[in-house]
């Protein structure tokens, strides 16, 4: 089980959170003019690469706030978390 640090509530078990996807996924700039293909790419297609990613999480059974987590998808190591709009944590140089 992961232990995730909510920037508002502190360290909690993963059961209290819901994964919200990759933080790099961006909504189309002009949603009213986006094609079906652009909406399909935004809604359904993800890079899903191995390694370190910035992810969105929500503290569903706590403060209900969205925040960013920097996590390695191979080892599940968490390098840090921060509120939305703040600079996400960087993994240590290897």
């Amino acid at each position: 089980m992961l232990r995730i640090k909510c920037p508002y509530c502190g360290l909690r078990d993963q059961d209290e959170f819901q994964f919200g996807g990759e933080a790099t996924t961006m909504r189309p700039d002009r949603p009213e003019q986006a094609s079906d293909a652009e909406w399909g790419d935004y809604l359904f297609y993800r890079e899903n690469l191995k390694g370190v990613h910035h992810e969105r999480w929500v503290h569903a059974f706590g403060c209900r706030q969205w925040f960013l987590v920097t996590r390695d998808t191979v080892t599940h190591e968490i390098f840090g978390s921060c509120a939305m709009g703040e600079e996400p944590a960087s993994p240590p140089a290897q």
Side-chain angles (χ1 to χ4, degrees):
M1 174 177 299
L2 294 175
R3 299 274 292 161
I4 300 171
K5 183 179 179 186
C6 172
Y8 308 99
C9 303
L11 197 60
R12 302 285 196 271
D13 289 340
Q14 134 187 6
D15 294 346
E16 293 188 19
F17 301 93
Q18 288 182 336
F19 177 72
E22 299 171 1
T24 55
T25 303
M26 301 303 285
R27 187 178 174 97
D29 286 335
R30 295 176 173 239
E32 68 281 353
Q33 296 177 357
S35 68
D36 288 345
E38 289 172 312
W39 276 112
D41 286 344
Y42 167 69
L43 293 171
F44 303 111
Y45 295 101
R46 299 294 180 260
E47 294 284 329
N48 201 23
L49 300 172
K50 291 182 180 181
V52 178
H53 291 276
H54 300 299
E55 304 170 332
R56 292 182 184 103
W57 287 78
V58 63
H59 195 173
F61 295 107
C63 64
R64 297 187 176 159
Q65 295 293 312
W66 284 91
F67 61 97
L68 299 176
V69 171
T70 302
R71 182 176 72 91
D72 188 319
T73 59
V74 176
T75 65
H76 298 292
E77 182 178 359
I78 294 177
F79 297 102
S81 61
C82 65
M84 297 295 280
E86 292 181 0
E87 187 68 29
S90 298
Q94 295 182 1

